[in-house]
Amino acid sequence: MQAFEYANPTTVSEAVKALAVTGGSAAVLAGGTDLLSLMKDGVETPKRVVNLKSIKELQGISYTAGKGLRLGALATLDELMQNAKVKQEYLSLVQAAEGVRSPQIHSVGTVGGDLCQRPRCWYYRGGRGLLAMKDGKSMVMEGDNRYHAIFRSSNGPAFFVNPSSFAPALIALGAKVKVTGAKGSREIPVAEFFRIPATEGERENVLAHDEIVTEILVPPAAQVRNATYEVRQKEALDWPLAAAAVALQMDGKNVKSARIVLGHVAPVPWPVPDAEKLLPGKAVTASLAEQVGEAAVKGAMPLSRNSYKIRLARVAVKRAILRAAGMEV
Amino acid sequence: MPEYKWPDANDRDLIGKRISRLDGPVKVTGTAKYAFDINRPGMLFTRTVYCPHAHARITKLDTSEAAKMPGVKAVRIIQNVGTEIQWALDEIVAIAATSEDAAEDAVRAVKVEYEVLPHFVNGEAGEKAPQAKAAQQNVVGDPNGAKAAAAVTSKGYYGIPTISHCCMEAHGQVCEWTDEQHLEAWCTTQSVAGLPAQFAEGTGIPAANVRTHCEYMGGGFGSKFSVDRWGVECAKLAKDAKAPVKWMLEREPELTIAGDRPSAYAEIEVGASQDGTITYWSSKSWGSGGPGGSGSPPMPYVIQPANRRHQHISVPTHMASARAWRAPNHPQACFLTMSAIDDLAAALKMDPLDFFMKNAAITQRAAVYQEELQKGAELIEWKKKWRPRGQNGPGPVKRGLGVSMHTWGGLGHNSNCEVSIFPDGSVEAKLASQDLGTGTRTVIAIVLAETLGLPLNAVKVSIGDSSFPPSGASGGSTTVGGVSASTRRAAQLALEQLLVKVAPDLGVPPEQLEAEKGTIRVKGNPTKSMPWKQAAARVGMTPLTAKGANPGAGKLIDQGVGGIQMAEVSVDTETGIVKMEKMVAVQDCGLIIDLKTAESQCYGALIMGICYALTEEKIIDPVTGRMLNANMEFYKLAGIGDIGELVVHMMTGPEYDKRGVIGLGEPPVISPGAAISNAVANAIGVRVPHLPLTPDRVLAALEKGGMS
């Protein structure tokens, strides 16, 4: 690990100042489950590390009737999984946290860190850049892409998958992320927090270099049936091969409106609006869930080694819908 | 000289019982010192410049900046300009510095340039690979005639990839020169007694001047026999720096260059008569284990049809050289063979249990295999649960059963043991052996205590030091036979000498005495006895010592075992995820010294087998030739929730006991790949030809078989 400065602010404004002067050469430290390995492997070499864990205002989980859930950026996965209100209304978040099969990460990993962690693409982690280009060609396209994206945008050669466990569920639930920087605070829908970098050096989210995530705001979900389903090969710690989060507003037995977001299949969490349209006005059945799953993967463009992920994404959608509806998966 | 033999079943106080390993407490409390834990005064740390390319020539090398970095005490150029590098992460420069970070900074300051050369890393290419070397075809009987005469034939393609040993404790050592001519090294090694000669060869000092230690180690699995280049270079760094140096491999090189089980692929055709007897076998296999290619898996495995042919093609690749992996060549041969014959059973519409039972007749241990198959079938409830392929339930999750069988030698290696009986009654056995985590220390203590009639806590076992009497390297299931036999002989001999000294006190000839229950007593008259401590005082001022060796007089050991395993899986046919429900291992290994550590060997082997069956593979990037998953994140190993229920049954009884001790490290790790693959084929109705059985492969097989 290369030598670095260490800043330990106790307020958000101090943290923002500590970041602002670095011109983008600083890294933000929360739980550290991602940053430390990136630094040890020399993939990230920040000149300054800004620790957020001493900032009290970033901690805690609270619920306000009518407004919904506030997750402090430093809320740990454990805190989230044990929160009574979350367990009652936001099952999709609990299920996403349970998918991280590591007591250690549950203890120290944070909700903000989950959103801001870097992709697990093995070319990126091998020091070959987020887009992994070599001689004008994508190493991912030519190489081993079994865990890479099956959806792409016109926005250049990004094939990594977004690694967040919570983002699909948060987007399905209509959550916003609050960020604070030198210019003040802003609230961004989680769906707009992520972006697909077009060139090497661009980040995969919209945070300016002096901005940090301070909290996540999730609307009330008492009337929303929500669920996450991840396809993971192992019971032990293992990244999902595909995941889906579903939020269903119900009107009696029928679905009133639906939000479905896929995870681990594209460089950003991947909403599937065309598939969502099949649900309103209908009662959830196994065959309807199957149809929605099929619609969700329309337009997938697999790489040389990952067409199996299309099927897994389809199944994840089907099972997330059934799980949300309280049916056996 | 005593009559060397094992005590009769009714005379055993310790042997064959379930005894917890003696070093369990120090391991779980962290007080056990592994090579990684050795920190000598003034010790330096090593970091290494590795070649980033799979095939390249060094064109420029400049270490001058690095040598000037703060904290840097020694820089060694391991491979210089002009050298052609044959695999990624081969060592180029090693730097010893006052901290890991200082060494790492210096590594970054080394300037190396390479001419990158084309690499080849696809061991599956077989004959089409450049430099593929075909061995002579091996033919027995009349394969062509047998094929024509067979009632049913089955043809398939099967593959098992290169995997890494993935030792929890990475390779490496601490080296310290006690003076210009004497080297002491703390190593993680399977060969404490073998390393001094290897260090000597590398450093130019006499082997007698090298002392190596390995008190505890975190896994070797066949990858830790050699001093390795990092061992010799560590010693040289320590000499240059005039300070002790630690060099332990980081996880990426550990997985990339320090462990490599060769891959194996095969096209196999096999045929049987209508009654299910296999009469015909034809196979062509290929595989790779780095630049040296790979050896031929022994095929067909265990089952020997009267008419057979086999040919192997060795495929050199730009990957690190193969190392022996637990039962070298057997897991490959077993997976390829048992998959092919299981497919033949399906073609015959025969229950594989009946089929394996029948064809056990054409193995070298027919009666043993049949008894074991019977036992295994009971334990997994085969006859109740088994359904033909494709008839395993209407829902998306299908259950299936699979069976496999295996064999191994396990003859005890050369071993020397010195037993001392001290005047105060304490007892010590010394051997330059090592405990890989298998229970070697415990087994030696059991044999020593049993022989001297003492409780386990009254004896001391000293191993892991090359200054002790030499014992063989721990590989090939040779240790338990070697050390138990040498210890038994040394202990019997020491006891005989003690009895001579004690006999006058008890008024009988020494041959009428025995050591039992902490006393020396007259055979048949236990009241006429002397406490052990009092007896030991008769040795005089200095300890009584005796040496025992293996091989030696008397039949204490044997070789050749058979084992069977059965697997029950459930497969989610929508996701391709295979879940282990249950595995049963039925194994013989002659006379068992410690039933608990023997069973533990089998549990460990089953878990290791589940890993290579379901998740484990070296993923090599075709673009760069680099291993992409050289970390504990994507080099996937099973966790506790992934292994299902494990049932181990050791075959015991007079017929097994009378053979003596036989090694157990390898046999139980051979069958899991085949048993699990066969269970998956049974569950989903179609063969998934390649291990590991990952979702992509399972789904592809379902699709190809028209089952998705």
Side-chain angles (χ1 to χ4, degrees):
Chain A
M1 198 183 303
Q2 291 197 44
F4 55 87
E5 291 174 2
Y6 181 73
N8 189 28
T10 54
T11 64
V12 169
S13 60
E14 278 176 25
V16 166
K17 272 184 211 151
L19 288 167
V21 296
T22 61
S25 62
V28 172
L29 173 67
T33 61
D34 188 23
L35 181 64
L36 296 189
S37 55
L38 286 167
M39 289 172 69
K40 283 182 176 176
D41 292 343
V43 178
E44 294 293 316
T45 52
K47 293 200 173 74
R48 171 181 286 188
V49 171
V50 179
N51 175 41
L52 300 186
K53 287 194 294 296
S54 305
I55 306 175
K56 289 219 169 54
E57 56 195 293
L58 296 182
Q59 294 169 0
I61 298 175
S62 59
Y63 185 86
T64 312
K67 284 180 75 178
L69 187 70
R70 175 205 170 268
L71 300 167
L74 287 180
T76 64
L77 274 59
D78 254 342
E79 285 165 6
L80 181 135
M81 289 162 73
Q82 283 163 25
N83 184 281
K85 199 70 196 176
V86 175
K87 283 200 281 192
Q88 199 184 330
E89 279 188 30
Y90 303 97
L91 282 176
S92 55
L93 294 178
V94 176
Q95 289 154 358
E98 284 170 350
V100 180
R101 308 291 294 167
S102 158
Q104 292 93 333
I105 295 176
H106 284 166
S107 294
V108 299
T110 66
V111 175
D114 172 78
L115 295 179
C116 296
Q117 64 182 313
R118 310 302 307 274
R120 313 307 302 189
C121 164
W122 45 32
Y123 292 99
Y124 166 63
R125 299 268 160 176
R128 300 179 190 279
L130 200 50
L131 301 183
M133 300 296 287
K134 187 188 177 192
D135 306 329
K137 282 188 199 160
S138 162
M139 296 172 81
V140 180
M141 290 276 276
E142 312 265 309
D144 195 311
N145 44 46
R146 69 185 72 188
Y147 299 132
H148 284 81
I150 51 170
F151 290 101
R152 26 186 137 157
S153 74
S154 52
N155 204 18
F159 297 111
F160 62 84
V161 296
N162 180 281
S164 171
S165 293
F166 294 126
L170 290 172
I171 295 170
L173 290 164
K176 288 179 176 169
V177 56
K178 191 171 171 190
V179 306
T180 302
K183 289 179 194 150
S185 296
R186 55 183 179 137
E187 284 181 15
I188 310 162
V190 176
E192 293 164 27
F193 178 73
F194 299 100
R195 67 173 179 194
I196 300 177
T199 57
E200 193 66 50
E202 263 182 27
R203 286 295 288 255
E204 61 277 21
N205 60 46
V206 299
L207 285 177
H209 77 261
D210 60 9
E211 281 183 320
I212 58 168
V213 172
T214 55
E215 55 193 36
I216 293 110
L217 305 165
V218 198
Q223 307 307 318
V224 183
R225 289 177 162 271
N226 61 94
T228 297
Y229 190 94
E230 295 181 342
V231 182
R232 275 177 284 105
Q233 191 190 359
K234 292 197 299 171
E235 282 293 317
L237 185 62
D238 196 10
W239 290 97
L241 298 164
V246 169
L248 306 176
Q249 294 270 4
M250 301 302 289
D251 179 9
K253 278 194 162 179
N254 287 351
V255 175
K256 195 164 131 200
S257 68
R259 287 285 277 153
I260 305 171
V261 184
L262 303 181
H264 302 275
V265 294
V268 293
W270 198 255
V272 283
D274 289 345
E276 290 166 358
K277 285 180 199 149
L278 298 177
L279 283 159
K282 293 175 201 151
V284 173
T285 62
S287 68
L288 178 61
E290 180 97 43
Q291 276 176 41
V292 177
E294 271 169 36
V297 296
K298 273 220 176 91
M301 294 174 70
L303 301 164
S304 57
R305 291 204 57 146
N306 69 1
S307 60
Y308 74 103
K309 287 185 63 167
I310 296 176
R311 187 182 169 118
L312 299 186
R314 207 174 85 196
V315 173
V317 169
K318 178 177 88 170
R319 293 184 180 183
I321 292 170
L322 294 176
R323 181 179 270 180
M327 296 165 74
E328 203 182 325
V329 298
Chain B
M1 195 175 76
E3 185 196 352
Y4 294 113
K5 62 185 183 75
W6 294 110
D8 293 335
N10 46 10
D11 284 338
R12 296 176 204 148
D13 293 323
L14 299 169
I15 288 177
K17 304 284 189 296
R18 279 196 178 82
I19 294 170
S20 296
R21 68 186 65 226
L22 299 177
D23 45 16
V26 293
K27 285 184 173 177
V28 297
T29 55
T31 47
K33 294 280 181 239
Y34 293 76
F36 232 122
D37 299 319
I38 302 296
N39 291 303
R40 305 292 299 165
M43 188 181 78
L44 306 173
F45 299 85
T46 309
R47 281 292 183 266
T48 311
V49 176
Y50 295 107
C51 178
H53 309 291
H55 187 201
R57 189 176 288 106
I58 306 172
T59 54
K60 269 186 192 166
L61 180 58
D62 180 0
T63 59
S64 56
E65 286 299 315
K68 286 184 255 169
M69 302 280 286
V72 171
K73 301 293 181 188
V75 176
R76 285 200 60 82
I77 294 172
I78 299 171
Q79 302 193 80
N80 215 327
V81 172
T83 311
E84 189 176 323
I85 304 298
Q86 298 291 343
W87 59 77
L89 301 199
D90 205 10
E91 307 96 316
I92 309 297
V93 177
I95 296 174
T98 48
S99 70
E100 290 183 354
D101 287 337
E104 190 73 57
D105 287 343
V107 158
R108 276 193 292 272
V110 172
K111 296 183 190 76
V112 199
E113 288 178 23
Y114 300 91
E115 175 196 351
V116 179
L117 302 169
H119 63 259
F120 180 81
V121 290
N122 180 12
E124 195 174 354
E127 280 164 315
K128 291 177 227 102
Q131 299 173 16
K133 289 186 221 74
Q136 184 108 30
Q137 194 179 61
N138 198 351
V139 183
V140 175
D142 172 19
N144 290 341
K147 180 184 177 180
V152 178
T153 60
S154 163
K155 202 171 181 176
Y157 172 60
Y158 311 89
I160 177 169
T162 306
I163 64 172
S164 186
H165 292 61
C166 197
C167 301
M168 283 299 116
E169 184 191 27
H171 288 62
Q173 62 289 307
V174 174
C175 287
E176 178 172 352
W177 292 82
T178 51
D179 64 33
E180 281 285 302
Q181 282 295 311
H182 288 84
L183 175 67
E184 197 154 1
W186 292 262
C187 310
T188 173
T189 180
Q190 297 177 236
S191 182
V192 170
L195 285 198
Q198 296 183 38
F199 271 115
E201 194 187 340
T203 59
I205 57 170
N209 292 6
V210 182
R211 184 172 175 191
T212 54
H213 305 268
C214 179
E215 189 79 4
Y216 302 98
M217 69 177 298
F221 314 111
S223 68
K224 290 180 178 169
F225 293 118
S226 168
V227 67
D228 282 310
R229 193 157 59 195
W230 48 77
V232 171
E233 291 295 332
C234 181
K236 290 180 176 173
L237 280 169
K239 191 159 208 179
D240 291 355
K242 297 185 171 48
V245 171
K246 178 186 279 189
W247 180 345
M248 303 300 296
L249 264 57
E250 305 94 322
R251 186 51 56 182
E252 187 185 6
E254 173 64 26
L255 282 163
T256 306
I257 61 174
D260 189 320
R261 183 184 80 179
S263 59
Y265 306 89
E267 286 167 354
I268 300 170
E269 189 174 45
V270 59
S273 55
Q274 199 58 54
D275 74 342
T277 302
I278 303 171
T279 50
Y280 161 65
W281 174 277
S282 175
S283 57
K284 188 198 275 183
S285 66
W286 58 95
S288 183
S294 75
S296 177
M299 285 167 64
Y301 186 64
V302 176
I303 290 174
Q304 300 292 296
N307 308 287
R308 56 188 193 262
R309 72 165 82 84
H310 176 63
Q311 184 179 28
H312 184 72
I313 297 151
S314 168
V315 181
T317 54
H318 292 105
M319 288 167 67
S321 295
R323 289 172 186 244
W325 189 98
R326 219 170 163 179
N329 289 328
H330 282 235
Q332 295 95 322
C334 182
F335 165 71
L336 298 171
T337 302
M338 300 300 159
S339 298
I341 68 171
D342 184 69
D343 286 346
L344 179 61
L348 273 160
K349 302 199 187 313
M350 220 172 144
D351 178 341
L353 176 64
D354 301 336
F355 185 71
F356 275 68
M357 194 71 91
K358 183 166 206 66
N359 286 291
I362 50 170
T363 69
Q364 291 188 343
R365 326 192 76 77
V368 171
Y369 285 124
Q370 282 160 354
E371 190 186 359
E372 290 177 338
L373 285 165
Q374 191 62 46
K375 188 71 209 172
E378 275 168 45
L379 291 170
I380 209 162
E381 299 178 284
W382 184 285
K383 282 295 171 187
K384 189 178 131 196
K385 290 179 181 168
W386 183 82
R387 303 279 177 281
R389 279 189 187 182
Q391 298 178 26
N392 282 285
V397 177
K398 315 281 188 192
R399 283 172 93 102
L401 289 178
V403 57
S404 172
M405 48 214 259
H406 56 260
T407 186
W408 189 253
L411 184 68
H413 56 32
N414 287 2
S415 175
N416 294 280
C417 173
E418 182 180 275
V419 166
S420 299
I421 299 172
F422 292 83
D424 66 350
S426 56
V427 173
E428 181 182 21
K430 282 185 182 170
L431 308 87
S433 183
Q434 50 281 317
D435 189 333
L436 277 58
T438 53
T440 301
R441 181 181 272 107
T442 308
V443 161
I444 294 167
I446 289 171
V447 171
L448 181 58
E450 178 83 61
T451 307
L452 301 180
L454 295 172
L456 209 50
N457 62 9
V459 302
K460 178 181 175 188
V461 175
S462 297
I463 58 172
D465 184 333
S466 66
S467 68
F468 298 155
S471 204
S474 290
S477 304
T478 58
T479 306
V480 70
V483 301
S484 65
S486 66
T487 304
R488 176 71 175 173
R489 292 189 180 104
Q492 279 193 264
L493 200 54
L495 178 64
E496 186 183 66
Q497 292 174 32
L498 182 68
L499 296 183
V500 169
K501 292 178 189 288
V502 172
D505 291 292
L506 290 167
V508 295
E511 49 285 2
Q512 286 183 28
L513 294 174
E514 62 182 5
E516 282 291 339
K517 315 286 181 216
T519 66
I520 302 298
R521 66 188 193 188
V522 176
K523 288 178 191 168
N525 185 5
T527 54
K528 209 171 171 191
S529 69
M530 181 188 280
W532 172 264
K533 206 165 172 153
Q534 197 184 331
R538 298 288 186 274
V539 306
M541 301 292 281
T542 55
L544 175 166
T545 67
K547 286 185 176 155
N550 187 60
K555 180 176 161 55
L556 297 178
I557 61 171
D558 201 351
Q559 63 181 319
V561 297
I564 71 99
Q565 292 184 3
M566 292 176 182
E568 182 181 3
V569 301
S570 56
V571 185
D572 185 334
T573 53
E574 290 188 341
T575 62
I577 293 172
V578 178
K579 185 167 176 279
M580 293 307 304
E581 297 292 342
K582 185 171 180 174
M583 271 202 91
V584 169
V586 183
Q587 185 65 51
D588 75 297
C589 64
L591 173 68
I592 292 172
I593 303 288
D594 182 348
L595 187 52
K596 189 171 190 178
T597 54
E599 288 168 342
S600 293
Q601 276 279 32
C602 295
Y603 289 123
L606 288 175
I607 294 167
M608 203 168 187
I610 289 167
C611 291
Y612 79 72
L614 296 187
T615 56
E616 208 180 343
E617 62 184 308
K618 265 190 164 182
I619 299 174
I620 306 295
D621 183 19
V623 180
T624 60
R626 291 282 292 267
M627 183 173 169
L628 289 168
N629 61 336
N631 53 51
M632 299 308 291
E633 180 179 11
F634 287 109
Y635 192 80
K636 296 189 180 188
L637 301 177
I640 197 80
D642 296 305
I643 58 178
E645 182 191 359
L646 306 180
V647 177
V648 171
H649 180 86
M650 304 303 299
M651 301 302 283
T652 53
E655 288 305 301
Y656 294 96
D657 285 4
K658 76 177 186 195
R659 299 186 65 196
V661 178
I662 311 173
L664 181 62
E666 337 288 300
V669 86
I670 297 168
S671 269
I676 294 168
S677 177
N678 289 345
V680 169
N682 177 240
I684 65 175
V686 57
R687 171 70 53 183
V688 184
H690 276 231
L691 297 186
L693 302 164
T694 48
D696 53 339
R697 296 187 177 97
V698 173
L699 291 176
L702 282 165
E703 205 161 300
K704 195 175 167 201
M707 321 283 285
S708 64

